Amino acid sequence: MGKLIRLELYNFKSYKGHHTLLFGDSYFTSIIGPNGSGKSNSMDAISFVLGIKSSHLRSSHLRDLVYRGRVLKKSTINEDGSATKTGANGHTNGEVDGEEEDTQNGTQERHDPKSAWVMAVYEDDAGDEQLWKRTITNQGASEYRINNRVVTAQQYNEALEVENILIKARNFLVFQGDVEAIASQSPRDLTRLIEQISGSLEYKAEYERLKEAQEEALENQNYNLNRRRGINSEIKQYQEQKREADSYARKADERDQAIVTHILWKLYHFQRVIEESGAQIQKHQQELKEHRRSIEKYEQGLEDAKKDQAKVGRDVSKVERNIKKKEKDVEEKENSLVPITEKISLTNEHLKKTKARAVEIAKERDSRSSIVKQLSKDLKVVEKAEAQWESEWKKLREQEGRALTDVDMQQYNRLKEAVTKRTSADQIHADNLTRQQRADEETVNSLKSKVESIEYQIQKLNGEIADTRAHKDSVNALIRQTSTEIDSKKKDYNSLTSERLRLAQLRTELDEKLQEVLTKLLEAEDGRKQNEKETRLKATIADMKRIFPGVRGRVSELCKPKQKKYGTAVSTVLGRHFDAVVVDDEKTAKDCIQYLRDQRRGQATFIPLDTIQSKTINSHIKGMHRGTVMAIDTIDYDKAVDRAMSYACGNAIVCDDLSIARYMCYEKGVEAKAVTLDGTVIHKGGLMTGGRGREQNTRRWEDTEVDNLRKLAEKLQADLRALPEGRRNTTDEETLQGELTGLEQKLTYANEEARAHERNLASKQKELSHAQRSLIEAKPKYEEKLQELVALKSDLKSYQDAISEVEDEVFADFCQRLRYENIRVYEAQQGSLQQEGSQKKLEFRQHKSKLESRISFEQQQLEETKNRIKVLEDRARQDEALITELEAQKDSAQNDIDTLSAELDQLKEQLEVQKAKYAKKADKVAEQRREVQKRSKNLDGTVKAIVGLEAETQRNAAGKYALLRRCKLEDITIPLADDSHSLDQLPIDGMLQGDPDAMDIDEDPDTSSFQPTAVQDYGIDVDFDDLDDDLKANSDEKLDDELQEKIESLNKEMDSMAPNMRAIERLEGVESRLKTTEKDFEDARRRAKRAKDDFQEVKEQRFELFNKAFSHITEQIGPIYKELTRSVSLPMGGQAYLDMEDSDEPYLDGIKYHAMPPLKRFRDMEHLSGGEKTMAALALLFAVHSYQPSPFFVLDEVDAALDNANVAKIANYIRDHAGPGMQFIVISLKTGLFQGSEALVGIYRDQGANSSKALTLDLRKYQ
């Protein structure tokens, strides 16, 4: 490959005039220069001459790349102070390394150039030079020249591509900032980069166009194929439907005849049963009248006795309620008394402890007070001794002092000055050491005092810790003792609770058995009228509504059928929930049940709205048949009770007749209860129940059975009375519970006190540890300072000895004349007293300071002790006030208990009197009941027979009406007599006489007239002549099943046929459409094959180009990254690899670039540091460049984010790979990079010429 020899610029950006950047035969050239000199403009020049657009060169238009200057006014100051213009200086306003300057306003002319050019001189492999030149013309357009020959832009690019310089891929340069962009680019951006390098991007538009054409052709082919298949299917379907149409018509006639036969058979037997039942009812009516006349007298006597008994029973219930209320009041008062008593006990105990603690602290206060007094007394003694010493010392100074003459003093001063001159240096050292000695002595004394204070504090804390541990041990012993007592009390309490629960369970079982027996007795009461029972039930519910606001009423009262025809069906659906009571919540239901037990007013079923679980209505059932409707939709009710109604009705459906019900349950498989209008039920499991939904129950019991029940009730009542009173056990249990509460509170207080001692102990130990650490820190400092003081005194003595030798020499004659051994004896005589006095004063001052510090500390501790005593005294006063208040509460509660107990005794006496009255009334009722029972046996049998016949008549009449109504609605033609009305006269919502569709209402058999029901036939007379005699004679249900099965079999066969009567005429049209569709399909198939072949060819070309480039880059990037990151300490370097997301068509998805620096785990690229990203990006750039490499590679400040170590690695890599076929031109400010290059191109700014200029230096001469 060739290389770039030089670059010539003319009026390009900051380069005014003609300039040459010489690269020569260097393969590693660095372009350097200060900021603002125009380095990056040289990069722009290389990019410009190689065909890069101006938008990538920090300019919006080509004109912006032409050198532009501005005129700066210059003036000269004359002698008279005026200014004269002398000329102008030009200055560029073009970009210089991205910096711009504002143009100065002025009126002077500007002569900016209008054109510019850049020429690259390139030497190819043969050694021939090629001149590539790009010019910006005066019109602002680009002109391209190769070897001074004008060419087009396309020819220019093709010439560059011959030398493997790809303008679109820009494989020969890296702009400033591109490295960071490459490091942070997305996988799809990396895919696009490889597409540009490989050349597969040129096939992208053709690829997408052919892919869209292939998909469109394939979709058209599939469309025509589906059309052909659909038409063939239609032809087969219409042929089959033609054969089915004839068979369907024959089956329809046969089915209609079978339905008519079945209906005639049912109507015949309905009519027969109605006539026979009417005759039987007339016969029993006569017998019933005779029985009633003989029993009316005894029934009236029984009713009077019952009224008297009920009145006395209400009085008994009232007294019992009052007794229970009083017992509850007494229990509440006693329960409230237990915590008061326990609080008094605990408060007394706490008060006792508080006073004991206050006594202990008072002793401590007295001890500290005596210590303070003793220390104060010692301080006064020291002060008195100090005053006495000062008086004696003053007299002593007066006695021992001896004065010199004035001549001697003058001589002494002269000699002293001489000594000072000769020993000035030693004197200065001695004075400094003396001052330092005094300061060190004070420091040593301070540290000594601190050490002694800390030792005293440690001794004191050890004593306090021992006391605290003793208190803690005593409290822990109390905790163990209290815990043992609590466990013992809990065992006793649990045994009492178990016994109470056992007795309560036994009482509940006996109550339930007693209620069951009493219920049976009520049912067995002969002559009990049903309407009276209904009246009492309504009265009970009214009382519950008045007492409990959450009671809403019975289900039968809260809803009503939307139409009268749904009455029987709704009552059957509701079933056992018909008389259930709806309440707001579960608590109200429990209160009502307790009320019924207390008042002995029977039993009832309750539906609480808040807890009842209602199944979601199956919406799929709705609309499955026009003759069916959801049961919930046949009633009107308030939305507030929606949950109760949904629970009662469930998924039940109401059908017009039995055939629809069977169709829904058996054929459709609906898992829901189906109820017909006449009350017939088909359950979920398939069980069928016929008849009316609510029959009267007038069962009577024999006298022996009633007596046995009464004896059993008396035995159960005796067992209840024999049970121990729960109140005594409850009192013992409450007492134990109160004691437990007190012990637990006592344990809580003890635990709190133990925790307080624990915290206090921890705090003291922490203080002790701190004091010990302080002592460990202070003692070495004291000893160190003491040693330093000894050494200082030794140094001071050496200086003082030197001074003394000079003094002895100078004062020798003076001392001999005055008969002093030396001058220091004289000075000592005069200064010894002063020194002695100072020492004595210091001793007095230190002693006083120590005593005052000790007094201050003890006084502070004394104040804290007094404050603690005050807090304890306040606590004791609060406890005493609380005890007084609790005693008052206890007395008041005890008085209330006494009053309530007296009232309770009075109520018990009243209860005994009322119970005696009630027993007498009960005996009278029993006697009257036995009389009525003797005379009511025959009446009961007759009533049962009449009720049964009446029910049979109503059921058959309803069945007949339902069949006739079905015939009218479904247009079924049945034979009628000549004088009969037509079915049009039959009303759809008509009512049979006797109201057979209404809800069942239990009536009093003793007061009903039992008149035979007249069945309304609406003038319709069916002709049964066509009915076979065998069918008339046989009314067995098996025959009904056979007829129904035959109809269902024919219906199933017809349903499976589902013929299309227009199949013949449609068959011809479909066959003609098939021919046209066949032709369209063949055309579409040929087009799809051709589009697929075209697309596959382009796809293979694009994949081959991309995969070739990707494989090469993948192989190169690992070794390149290792080489870039390798070092002496890390010889293996890092790892880098590329990972494609789609191996079949990689150019459609992204390519991920992963780089792992040495000794670092795998992380995403965005988590790497700036330098690591740069090294990874450069490895990728070098790997990409190695595929179809350009002859030269220009890098603009790619080392900006790198440290010196990484810069050195980049420099080594470039130096190792620079050579023939690989020329590096690097713009850099890092010394570590450009110092290893072969040549330097220096760019500088010539301010005089207002232009960037270049210098070239060959470094190989100096290496």
Side-chain angles (χ1 to χ4, degrees):
M1 287 187 176
K3 63 190 299 293
L4 193 61
I5 302 299
R6 65 181 182 274
L7 189 70
E8 297 184 13
L9 300 87
Y10 179 74
N11 289 336
F12 185 80
K13 297 193 85 169
S14 62
Y15 293 88
K16 181 182 180 182
H18 185 270
H19 298 271
T20 301
L21 276 65
L22 183 62
F23 304 128
D25 58 351
S26 170
Y27 288 100
F28 182 10
T29 304
S30 296
I31 300 176
I32 63 174
N35 288 330
S37 61
K39 297 189 307 299
S40 294
N41 288 342
S42 62
M43 175 72 171
D44 293 342
I46 297 174
S47 304
F48 173 74
V49 75
L50 295 177
I52 302 300
K53 294 182 180 180
S54 61
S55 58
H56 295 140
L57 306 178
R58 301 176 294 168
S59 300
S60 57
H61 302 286
L62 286 174
R63 292 182 183 274
D64 296 336
L65 301 178
V66 180
Y67 174 85
R68 290 182 296 173
R70 67 181 180 180
V71 178
L72 300 178
K73 296 179 180 180
K74 292 186 178 180
S75 301
T76 302
I77 304 301
N78 301 324
E79 293 179 358
D80 57 358
S82 61
T84 302
K85 297 178 181 179
T86 60
N89 183 29
H91 181 72
T92 63
N93 65 346
E95 292 183 67
V96 179
D97 284 354
E99 298 176 2
E100 296 184 357
E101 298 179 2
D102 297 334
T103 304
Q104 182 176 351
N105 295 328
T107 60
Q108 188 168 348
E109 288 188 8
R110 293 174 47 172
H111 301 284
D112 292 339
K114 302 298 183 182
S115 64
W117 55 263
V118 178
M119 182 174 67
V121 180
Y122 175 77
E123 183 182 278
D124 57 16
D125 294 337
D128 298 331
E129 289 188 355
Q130 297 184 22
L131 305 180
W132 297 331
K133 184 176 181 181
R134 183 180 179 185
T135 304
I136 303 173
T137 64
N138 294 335
Q139 291 77 25
S142 289
E143 180 184 84
Y144 299 93
R145 291 175 180 267
I146 299 178
N147 296 328
N148 295 322
R149 182 172 58 87
V150 178
V151 297
T152 63
Q154 184 177 356
Q155 293 172 340
Y156 195 81
N157 291 339
E158 290 174 354
L160 294 176
E161 289 177 0
V162 170
E163 299 298 331
N164 215 17
I165 300 173
L166 306 178
I167 297 175
K168 293 182 180 179
R170 292 196 298 180
N171 65 333
F172 56 89
L173 56 84
V174 178
F175 285 112
Q176 183 177 355
D178 282 358
V179 173
E180 296 180 3
I182 290 172
S184 59
Q185 66 183 349
S186 65
R188 286 193 176 274
D189 293 336
L190 182 55
T191 303
R192 183 175 179 82
L193 175 62
I194 296 178
E195 277 208 279
Q196 289 175 342
I197 296 298
S198 64
S200 64
L201 188 62
E202 298 178 0
Y203 291 94
K204 181 178 180 182
E206 185 69 10
Y207 172 88
E208 293 177 351
R209 183 186 66 79
L210 291 176
K211 184 177 182 181
E212 184 177 355
Q214 178 194 8
E215 292 174 352
E216 183 178 354
L218 185 59
E219 183 179 357
N220 188 28
Q221 177 188 351
N222 292 334
Y223 169 72
N224 286 285
L225 177 61
N226 292 331
R227 281 183 61 200
R228 188 179 70 171
R229 290 176 179 173
I231 292 173
N232 286 328
S233 176
E234 284 186 60
I235 290 174
K236 293 179 181 179
Q237 181 181 2
Y238 288 143
Q239 289 174 348
E240 181 67 24
Q241 290 177 356
K242 182 178 179 298
R243 288 191 294 270
E244 291 179 354
D246 298 334
S247 177
Y248 183 81
R250 290 192 300 272
K251 293 292 181 181
D253 294 339
E254 186 179 353
R255 190 271 317 270
D256 293 342
Q257 184 59 40
I259 291 175
V260 171
T261 301
H262 181 246
I263 291 175
L264 286 176
W265 177 78
K266 293 186 73 173
L267 288 174
Y268 176 80
H269 288 289
F270 280 150
Q271 185 65 35
R272 179 182 60 78
V273 173
I274 290 172
E275 293 173 356
E276 292 176 355
S277 297
Q280 291 292 328
I281 288 174
Q282 290 291 343
K283 178 181 176 181
H284 289 302
Q285 284 285 0
Q286 297 299 326
E287 297 176 359
L288 184 62
K289 290 179 181 179
E290 296 297 329
H291 292 309
R292 280 182 178 169
R293 282 195 290 269
S294 63
I295 201 173
E296 287 179 355
K297 176 181 176 183
Y298 294 99
E299 286 179 345
Q300 185 62 39
L302 178 61
E303 289 299 323
D304 294 341
K306 286 180 181 178
K307 290 179 181 178
D308 294 340
Q309 183 188 16
K311 182 178 180 182
V312 176
R314 286 192 294 273
D315 294 339
V316 171
S317 299
K318 183 178 180 181
V319 174
E320 286 178 344
R321 287 196 301 273
N322 291 334
I323 289 175
K324 288 184 179 180
K325 183 179 179 182
K326 291 296 181 183
E327 288 177 346
K328 186 176 181 181
D329 294 341
V330 171
E331 184 179 353
E332 290 177 354
K333 287 294 183 181
E334 289 177 346
N335 291 340
S336 65
L337 193 61
V338 172
I340 293 175
T341 305
E342 188 60 29
K343 284 183 181 179
I344 292 174
S345 175
L346 293 174
T347 308
N348 281 324
E349 186 175 351
H350 189 260
L351 178 61
K352 182 178 179 182
K353 290 182 179 180
T354 303
K355 289 182 177 180
R357 184 63 179 162
V359 170
E360 293 177 1
I361 297 175
K363 293 179 180 178
E364 183 180 351
R365 178 198 60 192
D366 296 339
S367 174
R368 292 190 180 280
S369 179
S370 61
I371 291 172
V372 171
K373 290 180 180 178
Q374 183 62 40
L375 291 173
S376 300
K377 187 183 295 183
D378 294 343
L379 180 61
K380 291 179 180 179
V381 170
V382 171
E383 291 175 346
K384 184 177 180 181
E386 182 182 13
Q388 183 177 357
W389 174 82
E390 286 180 351
S391 176
E392 293 175 353
W393 179 73
K394 186 175 181 181
K395 293 179 181 179
L396 182 62
R397 283 185 62 190
E398 293 176 353
Q399 293 174 1
E400 294 187 2
R402 186 173 68 181
L404 296 178
T405 63
D406 294 338
V407 176
D408 292 337
M409 284 300 297
Q410 290 176 2
Q411 184 181 3
Y412 171 78
N413 290 333
R414 285 194 304 272
L415 294 175
K416 196 68 175 175
E417 290 177 0
V419 171
T420 301
K421 290 179 181 179
R422 291 179 60 182
T423 62
S424 59
D426 292 338
Q427 190 66 44
I428 291 172
H429 286 296
D431 292 341
N432 292 334
L433 290 175
T434 302
R435 287 193 296 271
Q436 186 176 354
Q437 179 183 356
R438 287 197 294 270
D440 288 350
E441 286 175 349
E442 291 180 0
T443 301
V444 168
N445 291 332
S446 175
L447 288 173
K448 182 179 179 182
S449 176
K450 182 178 180 180
V451 169
E452 292 175 353
S453 175
I454 292 174
E455 289 175 346
Y456 172 76
Q457 185 180 3
I458 290 173
Q459 182 181 0
K460 178 185 172 187
L461 286 172
N462 285 324
E464 292 178 352
I465 288 173
D467 295 341
T468 304
R469 283 178 177 167
H471 288 301
K472 179 184 173 183
D473 293 339
S474 64
V475 171
N476 287 334
L478 177 62
I479 289 173
R480 289 191 293 272
Q481 180 183 355
T482 306
S483 300
T484 303
E485 293 179 2
I486 288 174
D487 294 338
S488 176
K489 296 291 183 183
K490 281 186 177 179
K491 289 181 181 178
D492 297 341
Y493 177 76
N494 291 334
S495 64
L496 284 177
T497 303
S498 301
E499 180 66 18
R500 177 177 59 80
L501 293 176
R502 187 186 67 80
L503 292 176
Q505 184 177 1
L506 180 60
R507 187 182 300 276
T508 302
E509 292 176 356
L510 292 175
D511 279 336
E512 291 176 353
K513 291 180 180 179
L514 180 60
Q515 291 296 330
E516 183 179 356
V517 172
L518 292 176
T519 301
K520 290 181 179 179
L521 280 173
L522 290 175
E523 292 177 355
E525 288 179 353
D526 188 29
R528 174 69 57 89
K529 299 181 179 61
Q530 189 66 25
N531 59 357
E532 180 184 354
K533 180 179 178 181
E534 180 74 9
T535 302
R536 287 198 295 107
L537 180 58
K538 289 182 179 179
T540 301
I541 293 175
D543 292 340
M544 288 192 294
K545 284 184 179 180
R546 178 173 49 81
I547 297 172
F548 308 106
V551 178
R552 294 181 177 271
R554 291 185 295 173
V555 172
S556 58
E557 297 171 347
L558 296 174
C559 70
K560 64 178 180 178
K562 293 182 178 179
Q563 299 180 21
K564 290 185 178 181
K565 67 176 182 177
Y566 294 128
T568 301
V570 170
S571 63
T572 304
V573 169
L574 294 178
R576 59 190 177 89
H577 300 302
F578 192 83
D579 288 326
V581 182
V582 180
V583 295
D584 286 343
D585 49 36
E586 185 179 3
K587 182 179 181 303
T588 304
K590 291 180 180 178
D591 294 339
C592 291
I593 292 172
Q594 187 63 37
Y595 171 80
L596 292 175
R597 287 179 179 174
D598 295 341
Q599 301 299 319
R600 299 191 178 183
R601 301 184 71 169
Q603 293 180 335
T605 301
F606 294 87
I607 301 178
L609 293 175
D610 64 334
T611 58
I612 196 67
Q613 300 293 327
S614 60
K615 294 183 179 179
T616 305
I617 302 298
N618 190 353
S619 59
H620 297 292
I621 300 177
K622 294 183 178 180
M624 291 184 67
H625 196 283
R626 63 179 183 178
T628 62
V629 64
M630 298 298 296
I632 191 69
D633 296 332
T634 62
I635 57 176
D636 289 325
Y637 57 91
D638 189 356
K639 291 299 181 184
V641 294
D642 181 71
R643 288 171 58 87
M645 297 305 165
S646 298
Y647 170 75
C649 295
N651 280 328
I653 57 175
V654 177
C655 305
D656 288 347
D657 54 28
L658 183 60
S659 62
I660 297 176
R662 296 177 67 177
Y663 170 77
M664 294 292 291
C665 292
Y666 299 151
E667 296 185 21
K668 290 294 185 180
V670 175
E671 295 185 359
K673 182 168 68 174
V675 182
T676 63
L677 294 178
D678 59 0
T680 303
V681 183
I682 299 179
H683 299 275
K684 292 182 181 179
L687 179 65
M688 184 183 297
T689 304
R692 297 162 63 89
R694 295 174 56 83
E695 297 292 341
Q696 295 179 353
N697 185 7
T698 58
R699 184 179 60 176
R700 301 176 182 276
W701 296 54
E702 298 295 335
D703 291 342
T704 54
E705 293 177 324
V706 175
D707 291 338
N708 290 335
L709 287 173
R710 189 172 290 107
K711 290 178 181 178
L712 180 58
E714 291 174 355
K715 179 178 179 302
L716 291 172
Q717 290 174 349
D719 291 342
L720 282 172
R721 287 192 295 271
L723 289 176
E725 291 186 8
R727 187 170 175 273
R728 184 179 69 253
N729 292 336
T730 304
T731 303
D732 296 341
E733 191 176 333
E734 290 171 353
T735 302
L736 277 176
Q737 187 175 6
E739 292 176 356
L740 271 174
T741 303
L743 289 173
E744 288 174 351
Q745 291 181 355
K746 181 178 179 182
L747 180 62
T748 301
Y749 291 148
N751 285 326
E752 290 179 356
E753 187 173 357
R755 285 192 293 271
H757 284 310
E758 189 69 31
R759 289 193 298 270
N760 190 18
L761 184 61
S763 176
K764 295 294 184 184
Q765 289 176 343
K766 188 175 180 181
E767 292 179 10
L768 178 60
S769 299
H770 177 71
Q772 290 173 345
R773 287 196 302 272
S774 300
L775 180 61
I776 293 172
E777 293 175 359
K779 205 163 187 178
K781 291 181 181 179
Y782 166 68
E783 293 173 353
E784 181 182 357
K785 286 293 182 181
L786 187 61
Q787 293 176 358
E788 291 177 358
L789 181 60
V790 172
L792 181 65
K793 288 181 178 179
S794 176
D795 294 341
L796 179 61
K797 187 174 183 304
S798 63
Y799 284 110
Q800 288 176 346
D801 291 342
I803 294 171
S804 298
E805 290 177 0
V806 176
E807 287 178 343
D808 292 341
E809 181 182 349
V810 173
F811 283 98
D813 297 336
F814 180 81
C815 294
Q816 186 176 3
R817 183 172 58 82
L818 295 177
R819 296 189 302 278
Y820 284 106
E821 183 179 354
N822 53 51
I823 192 62
R824 289 182 296 283
V825 173
Y826 166 75
E827 292 175 346
Q829 185 179 355
Q830 298 297 322
S832 59
L833 292 176
Q834 185 67 30
Q835 183 177 2
E836 182 182 353
S838 298
Q839 183 65 30
K840 198 69 175 176
K841 287 181 180 180
L842 178 61
E843 290 176 359
F844 278 116
R845 188 163 57 250
Q846 288 177 348
H847 196 183
K848 287 169 62 180
S849 176
K850 187 181 294 184
L851 288 174
E852 288 172 353
S853 299
R854 184 75 184 279
I855 289 171
S856 175
F857 173 76
E858 293 295 338
Q859 285 179 344
Q860 184 178 358
Q861 294 296 319
L862 180 61
E863 287 298 323
E864 291 180 0
T865 305
K866 289 180 179 179
N867 291 334
R868 288 164 61 193
I869 292 174
K870 184 178 180 182
V871 171
L872 291 173
E873 289 175 350
D874 293 341
R875 245 184 236 168
R877 285 194 293 272
Q878 291 176 1
D879 290 343
E880 290 172 353
L882 179 60
I883 290 171
T884 303
E885 181 181 354
L886 292 174
E887 290 289 350
Q889 293 179 4
K890 181 178 179 182
D891 295 341
S892 175
Q894 190 63 47
N895 293 333
D896 293 341
I897 291 172
D898 295 340
T899 303
L900 291 172
S901 298
E903 294 176 354
L904 182 62
D905 293 338
Q906 293 178 0
L907 289 173
K908 287 182 178 179
E909 293 176 359
Q910 293 179 11
L911 178 63
E912 293 298 328
V913 174
Q914 294 296 332
K915 282 185 176 179
K917 291 181 180 180
Y918 185 79
K920 292 180 180 179
K921 296 296 182 182
D923 293 340
K924 186 175 180 180
V925 169
E927 182 180 355
Q928 292 294 330
R929 183 180 290 109
R930 286 193 292 271
E931 292 294 331
V932 171
Q933 285 176 351
K934 292 177 182 178
R935 294 165 176 80
S936 62
K937 292 181 181 179
N938 295 330
L939 179 65
D940 187 36
T942 304
V943 169
K944 284 183 179 180
I946 293 174
V947 170
L949 291 171
E950 180 70 20
E952 187 69 16
T953 301
Q954 291 291 336
R955 186 178 68 80
N956 285 276
K960 178 182 178 181
Y961 170 76
L963 286 174
L964 293 175
R965 180 175 177 276
R966 176 190 170 193
C967 292
K968 178 179 178 181
L969 293 175
E970 298 181 7
D971 293 332
I972 300 174
T973 302
I974 59 175
L976 299 176
D978 295 338
D979 57 349
S980 172
H981 293 169
S982 66
L983 290 178
D984 295 336
Q985 302 296 324
L986 182 71
I988 298 299
D989 298 327
M991 295 293 294
L992 293 177
Q993 188 168 347
D995 198 10
D997 293 331
M999 288 188 300
D1000 292 328
I1001 299 176
D1002 297 328
E1003 298 179 349
D1004 184 4
D1006 298 338
T1007 59
S1008 300
S1009 62
F1010 293 102
Q1011 294 297 327
T1013 302
V1015 179
Q1016 177 63 266
D1017 57 7
Y1018 301 101
I1020 299 173
D1021 187 8
V1022 181
D1023 185 3
F1024 298 107
D1025 294 340
D1026 294 338
L1027 189 64
D1028 294 341
D1029 293 338
D1030 294 340
L1031 296 176
K1032 290 180 181 180
N1034 189 358
S1035 62
D1036 193 359
E1037 290 185 0
K1038 292 182 179 180
L1039 181 59
D1040 182 27
D1041 294 338
E1042 292 175 0
L1043 295 173
Q1044 189 71 27
E1045 287 175 1
K1046 182 179 180 181
I1047 295 172
E1048 291 175 357
S1049 176
L1050 293 171
N1051 280 330
K1052 289 180 179 179
E1053 291 180 10
M1054 292 175 65
D1055 291 341
S1056 63
M1057 291 180 183
N1060 183 3
M1061 298 304 181
R1062 301 181 62 187
I1064 299 174
E1065 60 186 43
R1066 292 183 179 179
L1067 183 60
E1068 298 176 358
V1070 173
E1071 289 175 346
S1072 63
R1073 280 194 291 124
L1074 178 62
K1075 297 178 182 179
T1076 305
T1077 304
E1078 288 282 359
K1079 183 178 180 300
D1080 293 341
F1081 172 71
E1082 289 299 327
D1083 294 340
R1085 187 176 62 81
R1086 287 192 294 270
R1087 287 195 299 270
K1089 185 177 183 304
R1090 186 166 56 252
K1092 181 179 179 182
D1093 294 340
D1094 295 342
F1095 171 71
Q1096 196 65 26
E1097 181 180 358
V1098 174
K1099 176 183 175 183
E1100 290 175 357
Q1101 291 175 351
R1102 187 180 184 188
F1103 176 78
E1104 183 179 358
L1105 290 173
F1106 185 89
N1107 195 50
K1108 182 178 179 182
F1110 177 79
S1111 300
H1112 176 84
I1113 295 170
T1114 302
E1115 293 174 358
Q1116 294 296 321
I1117 194 168
I1120 291 174
Y1121 186 71
K1122 284 184 179 181
E1123 187 175 355
L1124 286 175
T1125 56
R1126 184 184 295 122
S1127 63
V1128 177
S1129 59
L1130 300 169
M1132 297 301 294
Q1135 296 181 7
Y1137 61 91
L1138 296 176
D1139 184 18
M1140 63 171 61
E1141 296 177 356
D1142 186 356
S1143 59
D1144 294 332
E1145 292 185 275
Y1147 38 77
L1148 297 181
D1149 285 309
I1151 292 178
K1152 294 183 178 178
Y1153 178 33
H1154 303 286
M1156 288 181 287
L1159 298 181
K1160 290 194 176 181
R1161 60 182 179 83
F1162 171 77
R1163 288 185 295 179
D1164 291 335
M1165 187 66 70
E1166 59 267 18
H1167 296 153
L1168 298 179
S1169 65
E1172 291 171 344
K1173 287 182 180 179
T1174 302
M1175 296 297 285
L1178 287 173
L1180 179 60
L1181 285 173
F1182 292 146
V1184 170
H1185 184 264
S1186 67
Y1187 181 77
Q1188 294 183 354
S1190 63
F1192 51 84
F1193 203 17
V1194 185
L1195 306 174
D1196 186 4
E1197 295 191 23
V1198 297
D1199 55 354
L1202 298 178
D1203 55 11
N1204 293 332
N1206 286 327
V1207 168
K1209 293 177 182 178
I1210 295 296
N1212 292 334
Y1213 179 85
I1214 294 175
R1215 188 167 52 251
D1216 293 341
H1217 290 78
M1222 179 63 78
Q1223 178 186 11
F1224 286 93
I1225 300 174
V1226 181
I1227 300 175
S1228 175
L1229 292 175
K1230 297 289 183 73
T1231 306
L1233 181 58
F1234 64 73
Q1235 70 182 2
S1237 59
E1238 296 177 355
L1240 289 178
V1241 176
I1243 307 298
Y1244 65 96
R1245 182 76 177 175
D1246 188 346
Q1247 297 296 339
N1250 195 20
S1251 172
S1252 298
K1253 292 187 178 182
L1255 293 174
T1256 301
L1257 178 63
D1258 190 350
L1259 295 181
R1260 288 173 292 185
K1261 302 175 182 179
Y1262 310 102
Q1263 292 177 347

